[in-house]
Amino acid sequence: MQLTAAYSFLTILQEESVPVHSYCLSFLQIILQNLEHRDIGVSNAWLDTLLAVIDVLPKETIRHEILNPLVSKAQLSQTLQSRLTSCKILGKLANKFEAHMTELTKAAILPELIELARDEGSSVRLSAFETLVNLLSMFDHDDRSQIVLPLVKSFCEKSFKADESVLTSLSLHLGKLCHGLQGLFTQEQHMWFLEFYKKLCRLGLHQENGHNDNQIENIELEKKYSTMRKNCAYNFPAMVVFVGAKNFHIELYATFFCLCHDPDVPVRYSIALGFCEVCKLLGSNVYLIHKELVALLQDDSLEVVDALLDHLPETLELMTSGGDNSGLDNKLMIVPDLVPALTSAEQRVANSLKWRSHEKILQKFSCLPHIISSDQIYYRFLHRMFTIILNNNVLPVQKAASRTLCIFLRYNRKQEQRHEIIQKLVEQLGQGKSYWNRQRFLDTCEYIMEFFSKSFFCKYFYLSVLELTSDPVANVRMKVCYMFPKLKSTLKLPADKHLLQQLELCVRKLLCQEKDKDVLAVVKRTVLELDRMELTMDTFQKRFFEKDLLDQEKEREEHLLLEMEQIEKEKQQSEARSNNEKSYERKRRDSKTGSALPKSLPTVISGSSSGTQTVSRESKKSKLIRSQSFSSQAIHPKHSTLEKGTSKSSSVIGVGKNVLLPFVEDSLKVRTSSASASASFSNAATTSSRGQGGTCDQKTNGSKEGQSRKLSLKNRKPKS
C-alpha cells in the first residue's frame, strides 16, 4: 500500500491532475512524514516522489516546508537513514536557488554538509562528499577555497588510508572535483591531487595502500580495484584539462599508457570511449598518443575496438591533421602504423560473430579518403570491400561495404583505377552468376546515384541496370521495377532521349510479358508514378532549381578532379623533360666536339623555350590553385556529409556526361601532341648534335652555301 501510494502521488504530480498549490496542501505533508518509514524500500519510494515534487514547488514552500525541518533531521543525533536522506534532499534543493541566494547556502546548506561529511558512517560521508562535488558551482570563491577544498582533501586522505569502500565513488567524482576547483589550488595542492589520481590508476597493479599482488586473494577486492581504475579512465579527459596539454607528456603520459594497456578489459574499454576527447584536448601534442591508438585498434578484446569506432573518423582526422604539426610529415609518421592496424581490426571483427561491429567499422572506413592517399585505399582497402560484397552472408554488412566502396570510387584520383572498379562492379556484380550479387549491384547503383552526378550514372551504369529487367529471378526484376522512378529522375532531355526510350521499352516489355504476378503488380504501380514525373530539361527550370544546382556542382567537381589528374600527369612529364634537358646540357658542356657551334644560337633556343615554359607554368599554377581549393573543400569532413548518408556536398570522381568525353579527349590530344612535338624536337636535336654538330650548324652552313652560289652567279653574268 505504501509503495502504491507513493507512485500514485508521483503520477498525480506528473500528469498535473491538480494545481501545485492544492497538491502541496493535500499531499506534501504525507510525503514528508513517510520519509521516516522503517522499511528502507518504502522510504526510498517516498524520497523519489519528494525529489520529483521539488522540481515544481515554489521556492518559499521549499524554504518553509522542506529546508527548515531538514536542518534538524541532518543532525548527528538522527538515524543513519535520516542523515542519508537529508544529503540527497540538499543536493536536489541546491539547483532551485539562484546565485544571488548565496547567503542561504552559507547559512543553511553548507554547514550541514560539512557536518555530514564528518559523520561516523562512511555511507553518510560519501553522500555528503558527492553532494559537495555536485554543488561546487553554487559556492562562491571564498567558500570553495577556504572550506570545500580543505574538507575534500582531508576526505580523500582518510579514505585512501582507512576506508577503501569509499574509494570507488571517490574515483568516479575526482575528475569533476578537480575541474570544479580549478584555479584554487596552490602548486603543492595541485601536485597532491595529481599524485592521488595516479595512485588510484595503479591500485591493484603495484604495491599501493599497504597491499601487494601476492597478498590480494580476495576476488571482491580485485574487482573493486578494477572498478576504481575504470573510473579513473573515465575521468582522464578531465585530468588532461587539470594538468594542461603542454604538461601532458611529463605528468600524465605514463598513466595514460598504463590505462591503455591495463590487464582488465573494462579499463581499456573506458579509456577507448574517451580517446577522441583526449585527442581534442591535446591539440598540437596529439602525436604523442598515436601509438596508443594503434595499440587499442589491435586490442584482443573486440569491445575495446568497438568503443573506438564511435568516434573513429574524428579521431583519425585529429591524429593526421590536427594541431600545429599538421601536414604531410605528420601523416607520413602515423600512416605506416595506422593502415595495418585498421586492416587487422577489420579482419578480426569479420572473423567474429559480431556482425553489427563489422557493419560499423565498414561504415567508419568511409572517412579514409580524408586520412590516407588514394593509392593506399586502392591497394589496401578497396579490393577488401569487393570481397565482402561478394562473399559475406550478412546483408547490412554487404550494404555497408558497398556504400564505402562507392565513396572510395568517388575520391579515387586515377582514371585507370576508376575504370577498373566500374568494370568489376558491372561484370562481377551486375552480370554475376548469383542473383544475390546482382541484387547487391542494384544496391550499389542506388549509392552511385546518391553520391555521383546524373551524367556519371547514366554513362556507366544506366543500361546495365535496365538489362536486369530480363533477369531470370523474379526478385531481381522486382527490385529493378522499384528503381524505375529513380532511373527516370537521372535523365535530362533532350540529351538523354535515347535512354528514356530504352526505359519505356523495358516497361512495355514487362507489362506485356511478365508472368510473375508480384512483379507485374509492382510494374503497374510504378507506371502510374512514372507518368506523374516531370523530366529535367537541359534548360533552366525553377521547380528543379535546387536539384539542378546540386547536380551541376557534382558534375563540376567531376571535371575538376579529371583536370587535377591531367595536371598531375603533365607535371610529372614536365619534370621528366626537365631532368632530360639538364642531363643533355651536362653532356653537351662536357663534350668538346661541339666547339664550332655559334655561342648565341643555343641561348636563343633556350630563351624561347623558357618563355613558353613560363606561360605554361603560369596556366598550370592557376589550375592547380583551383584544384587544390576544390580538393580541400570537397574532401574535408566539415564540408562533406557522406558519413551522415547525405550528398549535399558530394565531390565526385570520374567523367561527366557525354559532353565530358570529347572535352577530355581533345585536351588530351592537344597536350599529348604538344608533349610529343617537344619530345621529338628534343630527340632530333640530340641526334643531330651528336652526329653532325646540331641542326643549327646545318642551317648556318646552308645559308653560307646559298650566299656563295649567289656570288658566283653575279660573277658569271657579265661574261655571258
Side-chain angles (χ1 to χ4, degrees), residues 12 35 47 75 111 194 275 298 305 346 368 458 469 496 523 535 558 572 578 669 698-699 708 720:
I12 292 171
L35 290 176
L47 177 61
Q75 301 298 323
L194 180 59
F275 197 94
Q298 296 174 331
V305 177
E346 188 275 325
L368 291 180
C458 289
T469 54
D496 297 329
V523 175
L535 282 174
E558 290 170 5
Q572 293 174 357
S578 176
K669 286 177 182 177
Q698 293 176 0
K699 292 180 181 179
S708 62
S720 62

Side-chain angles (χ1 to χ4, degrees), residues 64 82 148-149 168 190 239 256 259 313 379 402 444 469 480 488 512 526 541 551 681:
H64 295 295
S82 176
V148 178
L149 180 55
T168 303
H190 187 278
M239 299 309 295
F256 185 70
L259 292 173
Y379 291 110
S402 176
T444 305
T469 54
V480 178
K488 189 174 181 180
C512 297
T526 307
Q541 291 175 289
D551 189 66
F681 172 78

